[in-house]
Amino acid sequence: MKKTIYTSVSVLALAFAAPAVAQTVGPSAANNESAVTQTGNSNKATVKQLQNQQTSTISQTGNGHTATVNQGDLGTPSESSNNKATVTQQGRTLDNGGSGLATISQESSNNTATVSQKGSNQALIDQGIATRTGGNNTATITQDNIEFSGASNNNIAGLLQNGSNNSGTTTQSGDRNIALTKQSNSIGGLANTAIVSQTGNDNVADADQSGNNNALTTAQTGSGNVADTYQLGDGNTANVTQTGATNEAAVRQAGNTNDATVIQLADGNNVGDPLPDNTPGGSVNPRSSTYTPRSVGVLQQGNDNKAYVSQTGSGNANIDQIGNTNFAGVVQDGAGAIFDVSQTGNSNRVTKTAGSNANVTQTGAAAQINVDQTGNINQAVLSQIGNHALVDIDQLGSNNLATTTQGPAATDASSTIAQTGDGNTASVTQASFATSSVIQSGNNDLATVSQGANSYSSVSQTAGDGNIASVTQGASDWSSVAQTGSLNTATVTQN
């Protein structure tokens, strides 16, 4: 997707290239200033400035305009900095407003570029040209086609920044817009920041950041929007907020101590691979998908952590993982479903199958899973089918295993497992109106509870080794087992 879209921008730019020269400023003067104003249709303006601390302003009103600003002697070893370029393009007609192209290229550092367009236009800002020392650049693209209801309603904004401590902002209003952002801080150690804001339907926000400590914020309001984020490096932050229906978002991070958050408000949204149905320039809609989350937040710090959320309905998921090689995954189907996981340590799992990374299945309205694991090699093996099912697991220590399975009739089912120590094992299988609470403190404790309809069971095993409690119930029975000491065994069977 990324390659296709960026190629689209380059091809479109070349299609409008070779404009008539409105003004060229040569190297004989420093601190140059240039102002170009054009009114009419299909006008072309080109400004080339080769020195430092230069200013270029282009204002065009009408349709089919092309504006090009080059600041810096591009292609030579010299550097140009502290330049400012502003391009304003205003469409005049409602039938096909705009259709303009604005391109600003700035070499080196401390430059400012601003493009403001109304209608259906294309803009490209390139700062800190590759292979040069760049940084501290600011780029702003604003595109608005709301007023042009008869237009093709398709703006394309491309923002390329090389170096460190750059800032890029893209704001688009209307439908079927495309915002492309690519930042690299391979030169220098300071972070880049990017902000993308889109209001309307069927928009695409595609952002790439490479380097360390970069920050990206994407906000989309409307329906059928796509947000695709990729960050390579350490200490990067990505925040995506989508308000509206049938939106799609993906955040991919490679490196250490990265932070990713996705929030989606409304129905029919999904988190996954955001591929539009059509290539840019046509009606851009996210592909249909089988999972639709409403709100998803993911925070991962460390190496080789994996988190997966798949939701249908107005579900809510939050996964926090700090450490290495942790896994948490869920597939949810039901209104008001909640999946909340916090893991601190290494090689912990919240899974459907013990010993493997398999997504937990949760089906039913108002079903809820809460897991808090601190330590190493802990596992919570879970599966829920039914309405109002609740699982709450808190494990502190290492090599603990908690397993809960609640059946399809889990209208009022509830299970709480708390284990402190190492090597504890608790297994609960419930159906109907059962409620179970298992609390174990100590080492190598084992509690197994299997319940039928209308059953209640509470097992508490305090400090000690070799405690075993097994409870099997049916009908309307309830059981409570409490053990303190070593080598204790309690078995209760009620039918």
Side-chain angles (χ1 to χ4, degrees):
M1 171 180 170
K2 297 179 187 301
K3 183 177 179 180
T4 302
I5 296 178
Y6 278 112
T7 302
S8 301
V9 174
S10 300
V11 171
L12 290 169
L14 292 173
F16 286 91
V21 176
Q23 185 173 3
T24 301
V25 179
S28 60
N31 300 320
N32 297 308
E33 293 187 9
S34 172
V36 177
T37 301
Q38 294 176 320
T39 301
N41 296 320
S42 301
N43 292 310
K44 299 179 181 179
T46 296
V47 175
K48 184 177 182 180
Q49 297 174 318
L50 307 181
Q51 299 299 313
N52 298 315
Q53 300 180 18
Q54 302 164 124
T55 301
S56 173
T57 302
I58 298 177
S59 179
Q60 297 173 318
T61 302
N63 303 320
H65 293 310
T66 300
T68 303
V69 178
N70 293 326
Q71 292 178 321
D73 192 6
L74 310 180
T76 67
S78 62
E79 296 181 357
S80 176
S81 60
N82 296 293
N83 298 306
K84 182 178 181 180
T86 303
V87 175
T88 302
Q89 294 177 324
Q90 171 70 62
R92 294 192 303 173
T93 65
L94 295 178
D95 295 332
N96 191 19
S99 300
L101 172 64
T103 302
I104 297 176
S105 297
Q106 294 175 319
E107 180 186 315
S108 193
S109 59
N110 300 309
N111 298 304
T112 301
T114 303
V115 175
S116 179
Q117 297 174 317
K118 283 193 174 182
S120 179
N121 301 292
Q122 302 139 44
L124 174 62
I125 296 177
D126 192 351
Q127 293 178 315
I129 308 302
T131 73
R132 307 288 182 87
T133 300
N136 298 301
N137 295 307
T138 301
T140 304
I141 298 176
T142 303
Q143 296 176 320
D144 182 1
N145 62 17
I146 293 180
E147 298 178 2
F148 300 90
S149 59
S152 60
N153 289 344
N154 181 217
N155 286 310
I156 298 178
L159 196 157
L160 308 176
Q161 292 178 315
N162 188 60
S164 62
N165 203 35
N166 295 307
S167 175
T169 302
T170 302
T171 303
Q172 294 177 319
S173 300
D175 299 332
R176 293 178 293 278
N177 297 309
I178 301 171
L180 312 172
T181 303
K182 186 174 184 180
Q183 294 177 319
S184 172
N185 67 357
S186 58
I187 302 174
L190 298 178
N192 294 312
T193 61
I195 299 174
V196 179
S197 177
Q198 294 177 317
T199 302
N201 303 320
D202 302 319
N203 295 308
V204 173
D206 191 327
D208 282 6
Q209 290 179 319
S210 62
N212 301 326
N213 303 312
N214 296 307
L216 172 66
T217 300
T218 301
Q220 294 177 317
T221 301
S223 300
N225 296 310
V226 174
D228 189 4
T229 299
Y230 176 72
Q231 292 178 317
L232 175 62
D234 300 333
N236 294 311
T237 301
N239 293 289
V240 178
T241 302
Q242 295 177 317
T243 303
T246 64
N247 294 311
E248 189 168 355
V251 177
R252 291 166 291 168
Q253 294 176 316
N256 302 321
T257 64
N258 294 312
D259 185 353
T261 301
V262 178
I263 299 175
Q264 295 176 316
L265 305 175
D267 296 328
N269 300 308
N270 64 60
V271 172
D273 184 19
L275 296 178
D277 287 334
N278 301 310
T279 56
S283 177
V284 179
N285 294 295
R287 59 171 174 75
S288 60
S289 177
T290 59
Y291 52 93
T292 54
R294 178 175 179 180
S295 177
V296 174
V298 177
L299 168 62
Q300 296 187 140
Q301 297 180 355
N303 300 320
D304 198 28
N305 293 310
K306 297 180 180 179
Y308 181 85
V309 177
S310 172
Q311 299 185 128
T312 301
S314 55
N316 194 314
N318 185 76
I319 298 174
D320 287 0
Q321 296 186 137
I322 300 175
N324 303 320
T325 323
N326 295 305
F327 171 80
V330 66
V331 177
Q332 293 188 143
D333 183 4
I338 296 176
F339 184 76
D340 193 347
V341 173
S342 177
Q343 296 189 127
T344 302
N346 302 322
S347 301
N348 296 306
R349 281 192 177 102
V350 179
T351 179
K352 184 178 181 180
T353 304
S356 65
N357 294 342
N359 297 319
V360 174
T361 301
Q362 185 169 227
T363 303
Q368 183 171 348
I369 292 176
N370 300 316
V371 179
D372 189 348
Q373 295 186 139
T374 302
N376 301 319
I377 320 179
N378 293 308
Q379 292 189 80
V381 181
L382 308 172
S383 178
Q384 288 193 137
I385 300 176
N387 299 328
H388 305 286
L390 172 63
V391 172
D392 193 341
I393 295 177
D394 189 348
Q395 295 190 129
L396 176 61
S398 299
N399 295 295
N400 293 310
L401 172 63
T403 302
T404 299
T405 302
Q406 295 180 318
T411 303
D412 295 319
S414 177
S415 176
T416 301
I417 297 176
Q419 293 177 322
T420 302
D422 301 331
N424 296 311
T425 301
S427 178
V428 177
T429 301
Q430 294 181 317
S432 187
F433 305 99
T435 298
S436 176
S437 177
V438 176
I439 298 175
Q440 294 178 326
S441 177
N443 299 322
N444 301 315
D445 295 321
L446 173 63
T448 301
V449 177
S450 178
Q451 295 182 319
N454 303 317
S455 296
Y456 166 83
S457 174
S458 177
V459 176
S460 177
Q461 295 176 329
T462 59
D465 297 330
N467 295 316
I468 297 177
S470 178
V471 177
T472 301
Q473 292 183 319
S476 301
D477 299 323
W478 70 272
S479 174
S480 177
V481 176
Q483 293 178 328
T484 301
S486 299
L487 304 175
N488 295 319
T489 300
T491 301
V492 177
T493 302
Q494 295 176 329
N495 293 305

